[in-house]
């Protein structure tokens, strides 16, 4: 178990390295050296020694994370060349071909902008037309728009690509193939084998059976129709065709179980065959990093079960975690890694106790012979699936926010045939290469299992409650795994305090419940005390991409939300992080304009929170989002506001509406944006939203004076969006802008920024959420990056 301590220290270090990005790698190495010296000095004291070794691993883990590149050389050209920039580079991975496009990973060597050619380095994800004949190893000239990958509501494509060293994308691309034949001969051979196998299967079987078999054998889902993909996703059986740790564990467990049943006394032969099958399966599915991780973890589990050593699996998993995260420190944020680790952990922890409970239960109901037959038949599909789902479900809920209520019974029905389907399908393809007639007979046998699987999935997908939306807070998921791993470690090493603890729990159950209940109450009361208002005004400019979203907490604890952006999960998370846990009320909601991008997420906020009053300027829009929003806010007090409206709260915070003026509103939403001046003591904020230059000039013409300490840059600081006279009138001491690093408009515009002169500029695309707070006299600010 000592390796487990090292792995925990290493993983904790990587996490802390991610949240403390300003600490340089050198400082982490110095810390590791210090802990190492202390460990050597305490080498005779066992507990101290291994605790300090874990601290060394902690510092080294943080050093490893701090050492990874945060960008690439080619990324400095993002959003710089419009649609006329060209990249020359080599295709370094098999193209990912979709129905409407193909994704090409290009190792860039040159950037061409007009007549200027620059040497460069780094990978670019090129989005190419689907009909282009692009192959691994090709040297390409790709011309298009080089952009930063985007961040969406529940998924950051930028972070996903960054984990594999990609910080640039090229869209709207034209391709010119310069040469062919580069790259690894092994990968070329593997690609040829996969292509040949796909052709054989498509020729031998009709759709959708051929598409499913290609997905199962090769991990290639592009031959499956959207309807079939949706059915597998809805029923929680996507692991059948999406090669991940969950899928690999299920396949390996079923194959090993079937072989053990056929050869009960040849466990080492069974292990060798199972590992060989898994190795071939890994190669055929493309051997990408996610599949290799899944195969490595599953191999550890199979070897541990064959050795019949309970300590082997945790220690080996710890070694695999250290190895993988040393190569790629960001692997902990990869859902496929998380599922692989969780599935293997679930099988190592729960298969044996669940199998014992199952066997005991069926023996009490059925005769001995029947009970044994049921145990042999149902142990693998039922027990393996349950064990894997226990530990993968929190990740699925936290990452994808959906859960299938029919996954368990459906897996029970289709998992038993998957081993036969896999073996028959592989044999059919192999024999078809030699004797097509016999291969076709095997394909028809395989077709029976494929049709059965598809039929069951389609039937269960039609059940109304097959798929429910249920998002779990990632912090709760993390807490679950911390407790699970902690209990596993304590159960394995059985320290004295743990034995006393478990004995106390068993012997004094009622008192234990009371004790933990009291502890919980104290923690809740402490949380309530900590979340009380601190007598200051807080203003958060939230990171919602290229959309407006501002949260205000007044000195007395009232909360005001200005717009909300388009990303519901991000907005609700931002509110949950900053509002007290027991607070379900937003005292004021201000809608600056009826723009779907600026307030689509507000619909979801209204499902979670009550609203005291809604301020808007009365301009209607007939989009679906605005009609739904109007319907929902009608249950609250809604106030139409124009210039001159003022609300003063009991804590002294004042909200002034400076625009629009009374009268007919322009058809252009940006001309009519609600402009808010927030005042607390001597400090004020001017929130301009998407106010156009015309709107700014109208305020000046009408004599509106709005001197403010902090000004929000209108319209994300785009080209020709800031009137210099308006800026002079406001005379801010600081300016803040909402900007998305992946926006294609190049906002904030350099000419607009130049108007600010020496005024400090705070940017959400560079500094994350911008937090200002003030006591009415002094002002503080920080970004969360």
């Amino acid at each position: 178990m000592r390796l487990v301590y090292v792995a925990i220290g290493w993983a904790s270090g990587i996490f802390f390295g991610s949240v403390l990005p300003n600490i340089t790698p050198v400082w982490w190495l110095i810390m590791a050296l210090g802990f190492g010296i202390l460990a050597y000095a305490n080498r005779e004291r066992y507990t101290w020694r291994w605790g300090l070794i874990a601290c060394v691993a902690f510092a080294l883990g943080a050093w490893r994370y701090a050492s990874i590149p945060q960008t690439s050389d080619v990324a400095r050209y993002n959003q710089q060349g419009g649609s006329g920039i060209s990249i020359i580079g080599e295709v370094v991975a098999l193209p990912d071909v979709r129905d409407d496009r193909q994704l090409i990973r290009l190792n860039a060597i040159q950037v061409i902008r007009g007549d200027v050619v620059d040497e460069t380095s780094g990978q670019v994800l090129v989005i190419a037309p689907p009909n282009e004949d692009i192959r691994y190893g090709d040297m390409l000239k790709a011309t298009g728009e080089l952009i930063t990958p985007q961040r969406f509501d529940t998924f950051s494509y930028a972070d996903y690509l960054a984990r594999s060293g990609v910080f640039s994308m090229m869209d709207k691309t034209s391709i010119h193939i310069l040469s062919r034949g580069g790259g690894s001969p092994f990968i070329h051979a593997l690609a040829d084998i996969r292509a040949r196998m796909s052709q054989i299967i498509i020729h031998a079987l009709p759709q959708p059976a051929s598409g499913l078999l290609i997905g199962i054998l090769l991990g290639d889902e592009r031959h499956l129709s959207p309807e079939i993909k949706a059915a597998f996703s809805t029923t929680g059986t996507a692991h059948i065709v999406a090669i991940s740790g969950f899928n690999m564990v299920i396949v390996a467990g079923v194959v090993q179980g079937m072989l053990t049943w056929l050869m009960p006394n040849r466990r080492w032969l069974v292990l060798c065959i199972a590992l060989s099958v898994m190795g071939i399966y890994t190669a055929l599915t493309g051997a990408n990093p996610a599949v290799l991780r899944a195969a490595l973890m599953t191999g550890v589990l199979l070897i541990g079960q064959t050795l019949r050593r309970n300590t082997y699996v945790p220690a080996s998993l710890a070694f695999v975690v250290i190895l993988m995260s040393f190569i790629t420190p960001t692997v902990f944020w990869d859902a496929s890694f998380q599922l692989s680790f969780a599935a293997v952990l679930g099988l190592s922890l729960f298969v044996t106790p669940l199998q014992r409970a199952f066997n005991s239960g069926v023996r009490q109901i059925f005769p001995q012979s029947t009970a044994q037959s049921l145990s042999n038949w149902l142990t693998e599909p039922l027990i393996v699936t349950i064990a894997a789902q226990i530990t993968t479900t929190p990740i699925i809920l936290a990452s994808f926010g959906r859960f299938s209520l029919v996954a368990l019974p459906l897996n029970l029905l289709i998992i038993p045939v998957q081993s036969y389907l896999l073996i028959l399908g592989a044999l059919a393809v192999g024999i078809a290469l030699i004797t097509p007639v016999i291969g076709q007979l095997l394909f028809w046998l395989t077709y029976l299992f494929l049709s059965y699987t598809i039929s069951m999935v389609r039937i269960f997908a039609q059940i109304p409650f097959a798929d429910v939306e249920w998002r779990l807070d990632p912090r709760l998921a993390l807490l679950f795994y911390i407790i699970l791993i902690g209990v596993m470690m304590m159960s394995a090493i059985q320290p004295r305090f743990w034995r006393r603890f478990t004995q106390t729990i068993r012997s004094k159950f009622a008192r234990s419940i009371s004790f933990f209940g009291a502890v919980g109450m104290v923690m809740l009361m402490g949380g309530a005390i900590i979340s009380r208002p601190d007598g200051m005004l807080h203003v958060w400019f939230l990171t919602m991409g290229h959309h407006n979203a501002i949260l205000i907490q007044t000195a007395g604890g009232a909360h005001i939300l200005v717009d909300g952006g388009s990303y519901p999960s991000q907005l609700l998370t931002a509110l949950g992080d900053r509002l007290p846990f027991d607070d379900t009320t937003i005292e004021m909601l201000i809608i600056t304009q009826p723009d779907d991008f600026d307030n689509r997420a507000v619909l979801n906020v209204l499902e979670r929170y009550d609203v005291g009053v809604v301020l808007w300027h009365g301009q209607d829009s007939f989009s679906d989002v605005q009609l739904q929003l109007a319907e929902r806010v009608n249950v609250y007090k809604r106030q139409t506001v124009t210039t001159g409206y003022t609300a003063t709260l009991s804590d002294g915070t004042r909200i002034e509406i400076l625009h629009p003026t009374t009268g007919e509103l322009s058809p252009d939403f940006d001309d009519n944006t609600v402009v808010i001046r927030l005042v607390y003591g001597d400090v004020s904020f001017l929130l301009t939203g998407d106010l156009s230059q015309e709107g700014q000039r109208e305020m000046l013409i009408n004599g509106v004076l709005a001197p403010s300490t902090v000004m929000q840059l209108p319209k994300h600081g785009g080209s020709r969006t800031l009137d210099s006279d308006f800026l002079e009138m406001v005379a801010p001491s600081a300016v803040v802008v909402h900007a998305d690093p992946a926006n294609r408009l190049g906002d904030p515009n350099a000419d607009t920024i130049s108007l600010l002169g020496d005024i400090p500029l705070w940017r959400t695309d560079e500094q994350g959420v911008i937090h200002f707070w003030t006591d009415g006299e002094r002002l503080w600010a920080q970004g969360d990056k």
Side-chain angles (χ1 to χ4, degrees), residues 550-617:
I550 302 168
L551 176 64
I552 300 163
Q553 177 178 295
T554 70
H559 291 97
I560 302 168
L561 179 63
V562 181
D563 293 331
S566 296
Y567 302 142
S569 295
Q570 289 186 24
L571 180 59
L572 289 172
T573 299
L575 296 179
D577 287 342
R578 292 165 179 84
L579 269 65
F581 68 92
D582 59 340
D583 190 350
T584 59
T585 300
I586 293 174
E587 279 71 21
M588 181 180 291
L589 169 65
I590 303 177
I591 299 174
T592 63
Q593 60 177 0
D595 186 329
D596 293 358
F597 291 110
D598 281 337
N599 46 52
R600 179 184 288 114
V602 173
L603 292 171
N604 299 77
V605 171
L606 296 176
E607 295 176 359
R608 170 68 177 86
Y609 295 93
D610 293 323
V611 175
V613 62
V614 179
L615 304 186
W616 73 314
H617 58 33

Side-chain angles (χ1 to χ4, degrees), residues 253-576:
V254 170
V255 169
Q256 189 185 38
M258 184 185 68
L259 292 172
T260 301
W261 180 60
L262 294 173
M263 299 179 289
N265 299 319
R266 308 290 296 276
R267 58 192 180 98
W268 286 105
L269 179 59
V270 168
L271 174 65
C272 292
I273 295 174
L275 290 176
S276 299
V277 170
M278 194 172 65
I280 296 171
Y281 188 47
T282 301
L284 290 177
T285 53
N288 62 54
V291 175
L292 288 173
R293 288 195 296 264
L296 185 57
M297 286 194 173
T298 308
V300 165
L301 178 65
L302 295 182
I303 295 171
Q305 290 175 341
T306 303
L307 289 172
R308 296 174 181 172
R309 290 176 57 190
N310 292 332
T311 58
Y312 177 85
V313 173
S316 299
L317 274 178
F319 172 74
V320 170
V321 166
I322 293 173
L323 177 63
M324 290 181 175
S325 55
F326 179 80
I327 297 171
T328 310
T330 54
V331 72
F332 290 114
W333 288 266
D334 190 321
S336 67
F337 169 82
Q338 295 169 5
L339 289 171
S340 299
F341 177 82
V344 175
L345 183 66
L347 266 67
S348 67
L349 292 179
F350 297 118
V351 164
T352 299
L354 287 174
Q355 190 168 2
R356 288 172 182 165
F358 178 78
N359 292 341
S360 175
V362 295
R363 288 192 188 106
Q364 294 178 11
I365 300 174
F366 300 100
Q368 181 67 25
S369 59
T370 306
Q372 188 62 43
S373 298
L374 283 174
S375 178
N376 292 337
W377 175 251
L378 294 178
T379 292
E380 295 302 330
L382 180 62
I383 301 304
V384 167
T385 302
I386 292 175
Q389 285 197 332
I390 288 173
T391 48
T392 56
T393 296
I395 293 174
I396 293 170
L397 294 177
S399 300
F400 308 112
R402 306 200 69 82
F403 183 69
S404 175
L405 298 179
V406 301
L408 185 59
L410 181 55
N411 274 290
L412 184 60
L413 290 172
I414 66 175
I415 286 294
V417 307
Q418 297 310 302
S419 57
Y420 304 110
L421 197 160
L422 183 66
I423 293 171
L424 276 174
L427 284 174
V429 174
I431 292 174
L433 290 170
I434 304 170
T435 310
V437 175
I438 298 177
Q440 186 63 55
L441 293 175
L442 290 175
F443 271 122
W444 289 127
L445 288 175
T446 308
Y447 181 72
L448 297 176
F449 294 111
L450 291 167
S451 298
Y452 168 77
T453 301
I454 293 170
S455 298
M456 289 294 101
V457 169
R458 278 174 161 165
I459 290 170
F460 276 78
Q462 298 302 315
I463 299 175
F465 55 84
D467 185 38
V468 296
E469 186 172 346
W470 182 13
R471 183 166 295 279
L472 181 67
D473 190 322
R475 293 169 294 187
L476 293 179
L478 179 61
L479 179 62
F480 168 80
Y481 292 109
I482 291 174
I483 293 173
L484 183 64
I485 294 173
V487 170
M488 177 192 73
M489 293 177 59
M490 293 301 102
S491 300
I493 62 180
Q494 288 290 316
R496 182 181 302 174
F497 82 89
W498 180 257
R499 292 197 299 270
R500 290 178 179 175
F501 175 76
T502 53
Q503 289 170 2
T504 302
I505 291 294
R506 295 190 189 101
S507 61
K508 302 175 182 179
F509 181 74
R511 276 186 284 177
S512 298
I513 292 296
S514 301
F515 171 75
F516 287 116
V519 170
M521 289 299 296
V522 170
M523 293 177 66
L524 288 174
M525 292 173 63
I529 293 171
I530 292 172
S531 61
R532 293 179 63 186
D534 58 5
M536 293 192 179
L537 173 70
H538 296 261
V539 180
W540 291 276
F541 292 83
L542 305 176
T543 51
M544 296 293 150
H546 222 50
H547 315 306
N548 195 43
I550 302 168
L551 176 64
I552 300 163
Q553 177 178 295
T554 70
H559 291 97
I560 302 168
L561 179 63
V562 181
D563 293 331
S566 296
Y567 302 142
S569 295
Q570 289 186 24
L571 180 59
L572 289 172
T573 299
L575 296 179

Side-chain angles (χ1 to χ4, degrees), residues 155-187:
F155 176 68
S156 172
Y157 200 36
D159 292 343
Y160 171 76
L161 292 177
R163 286 194 287 269
S164 57
V166 178
F167 302 93
S168 304
M169 290 175 57
M170 178 168 279
D171 200 359
K172 303 175 182 176
T173 311
S174 63
I175 301 293
H176 178 60
I177 300 173
L178 303 178
S179 63
R180 293 193 185 275
S184 166
F186 172 76
I187 296 180

